[in-house]
Amino acid sequence: MYMHRHGGDVYSEPYEIDFSANINPFGMPQSVKDAAWEGVVSSVNYPDVSCRQLKKKIAEKNKIPPEYFIFGNGAAELIFAVVSALKPKKALVVSPGFAEYEQAARASGCEIEHYFLKEDNEFLLEKSYLESIKEDTDLVFLCNPNNPTGHLIECDFLHQILEKCRACKAFLVLDECFNEFLDQPNQYTMLQKTKEFKNMMILKAFTKIYAMPGLRLGYGICSDYSVIEKMEAMLQPWNVSVPAQMAGNAALDEEEFVRMTRTFIGQERRWMKKELERIGVRTFDSKANYLFFKGPQNLAQHCKKYGILIRDCSNYEGLSDGYYRVAVRRREENEKLISCLEKAVRQ
């Protein structure tokens, strides 16, 4: 049976600290927990199929028309839905990158073209990427910041990519699920370009920043309503539960929580990067709430002996043994990670 390996597998064996999933280290806000519980009590009713209250609130918050939004059982469901809706023959993915893009495309019988990031260029997206978008490219997936590297694509370059996609009649799915953790998120989002570029869908999720992956709530934004309609036709009814919708509504009010998280993550990420470099681990310059680095083989197994889970990235396309990703957590936990890694490196 096929099973794709991810971070966050806390069910296979005992653990103390999970660095393998990039979740807010402060956990779910109390208001969100309360709303989710209220949603459990209200689950005697079916969910609102159209997520109307949530859609209205998030549209007002982002100053984007509500008809641009579609909600899913996590952003992952929408990745599969957009592929099923558009029926592309050829998709372009960046490697290493989030595996669900390729998985969704292959499930629909779509041909995959890889653009491989180069280690000697720090795994950054190069201008040559534009040449990979061709007349026969139907669908393009990008993640900003990229997962697992944490690197950013500047908006000027993204604008060029969108123009090239439009010229080639390709549709761009831009995953911004980690945008909220950036020091300056507004400088790296294309949200306000959705009206201008109908050939783009932006993906967002409540999963990471509000620490609610188990509730499953993601959304897409696209100004081409025909795409939204086709995707909705691919989704099962009631795909977003009552607890998820109510938790999402409460989460949108947690602006101070998000600001506090962002400040902490930026400071702690820089500290962790220095510590990783101090112990002799090559660390790439992530701007997200996780760090990507190169270390000894079997490092993930070594960490498990200390009750610590890290993301072994060897199964990412374009990577091999010895590449890892760790979430930015609280200082006490991060110190335990560094101590554990140092023991492995010094062996």
Side-chain angles (χ1 to χ4, degrees), residues 2-128:
Y2 175 79
M3 287 187 68
H4 198 83
R5 193 164 81 244
H6 286 281
D9 180 10
V10 298
Y11 307 101
S12 297
E13 52 194 299
Y15 74 101
E16 180 185 350
I17 311 171
D18 181 16
F19 282 90
S20 69
N22 309 315
I23 306 300
N24 192 320
F26 296 107
M28 195 185 299
Q30 187 60 48
S31 68
V32 179
K33 292 179 184 178
D34 293 342
W37 175 246
E38 186 181 344
V40 171
V41 175
S42 300
S43 290
V44 66
N45 300 309
Y46 281 99
D48 177 2
V49 175
S50 301
C51 300
R52 278 166 287 197
Q53 186 178 357
L54 183 59
K55 184 181 293 186
K56 181 176 184 293
K57 191 168 184 177
I58 203 167
E60 290 173 353
K61 183 180 177 72
N62 289 282
K63 297 180 174 58
I64 291 174
E67 58 268 24
Y68 287 14
F69 288 83
I70 182 170
F71 291 86
N73 187 256
E77 182 182 40
L78 299 176
I79 292 170
F80 280 80
V82 73
V83 175
S84 297
L86 297 179
K87 297 178 173 56
K89 293 181 179 178
K90 190 172 189 178
L92 175 65
V93 298
V94 167
S95 299
F98 189 50
E100 259 66 10
Y101 311 144
E102 183 172 347
Q103 187 181 354
R106 289 198 185 281
S108 291
C110 179
E111 179 187 348
I112 306 296
E113 182 175 346
H114 293 273
Y115 178 88
F116 288 99
L117 304 175
K118 300 172 185 174
E119 183 174 344
D120 59 10
N121 191 43
E122 299 292 311
F123 292 104
L124 292 166
L125 193 68
E126 300 179 59
K127 292 293 183 181
S128 61

Side-chain angles (χ1 to χ4, degrees), residues 40-259:
V40 171
V41 175
S42 300
S43 290
V44 66
N45 300 309
Y46 281 99
D48 177 2
V49 175
S50 301
C51 300
R52 278 166 287 197
Q53 186 178 357
L54 183 59
K55 184 181 293 186
K56 181 176 184 293
K57 191 168 184 177
I58 203 167
E60 290 173 353
K61 183 180 177 72
N62 289 282
K63 297 180 174 58
I64 291 174
E67 58 268 24
Y68 287 14
F69 288 83
I70 182 170
F71 291 86
N73 187 256
E77 182 182 40
L78 299 176
I79 292 170
F80 280 80
V82 73
V83 175
S84 297
L86 297 179
K87 297 178 173 56
K89 293 181 179 178
K90 190 172 189 178
L92 175 65
V93 298
V94 167
S95 299
F98 189 50
E100 259 66 10
Y101 311 144
E102 183 172 347
Q103 187 181 354
R106 289 198 185 281
S108 291
C110 179
E111 179 187 348
I112 306 296
E113 182 175 346
H114 293 273
Y115 178 88
F116 288 99
L117 304 175
K118 300 172 185 174
E119 183 174 344
D120 59 10
N121 191 43
E122 299 292 311
F123 292 104
L124 292 166
L125 193 68
E126 300 179 59
K127 292 293 183 181
S128 61
Y129 176 76
L130 290 170
E131 299 168 13
S132 298
I133 305 169
K134 304 168 186 172
E135 292 294 331
D136 63 346
T137 305
D138 301 305
L139 187 60
V140 176
F141 283 103
L142 278 177
C143 190
N144 196 33
N146 185 43
N147 179 8
T149 66
H151 286 318
L152 286 166
I153 309 169
E154 298 288 341
C155 281
D156 286 347
F157 190 17
L158 279 171
H159 197 275
Q160 293 176 47
I161 292 168
L162 273 164
E163 290 285 11
K164 183 68 183 290
C165 285
R166 184 156 60 184
C168 293
K169 296 182 172 56
F171 191 87
L172 173 65
V173 177
L174 181 61
D175 186 339
E176 293 189 357
C177 285
F178 291 101
N179 174 270
E180 291 288 357
F181 290 101
L182 301 177
D183 293 337
Q184 297 175 307
N186 291 336
Q187 290 190 13
Y188 294 95
T189 182
M190 297 297 281
L191 273 178
Q192 301 310 318
K193 294 290 184 179
T194 50
K195 184 176 181 180
E196 179 182 351
F197 291 98
K198 290 184 176 295
N199 62 317
M200 173 179 67
M201 169 164 281
I202 294 177
L203 291 178
K204 296 272 194 177
F206 289 76
T207 303
K208 315 296 184 182
I209 191 68
Y210 300 111
M212 46 187 277
L215 285 169
R216 312 304 304 136
L217 181 60
Y219 59 100
I221 309 104
C222 178
S223 60
D224 187 341
Y225 193 62
S226 68
V227 173
I228 298 288
E229 283 187 317
K230 289 175 185 175
M231 288 177 66
E232 287 175 340
M234 299 296 157
L235 298 173
Q236 62 172 316
W238 310 298
N239 62 322
V240 181
S241 70
V242 175
Q245 291 189 39
M246 294 182 72
N249 268 306
L252 292 172
D253 293 328
E254 288 288 343
E255 295 181 358
E256 181 53 38
F257 174 81
V258 172
R259 282 192 290 268

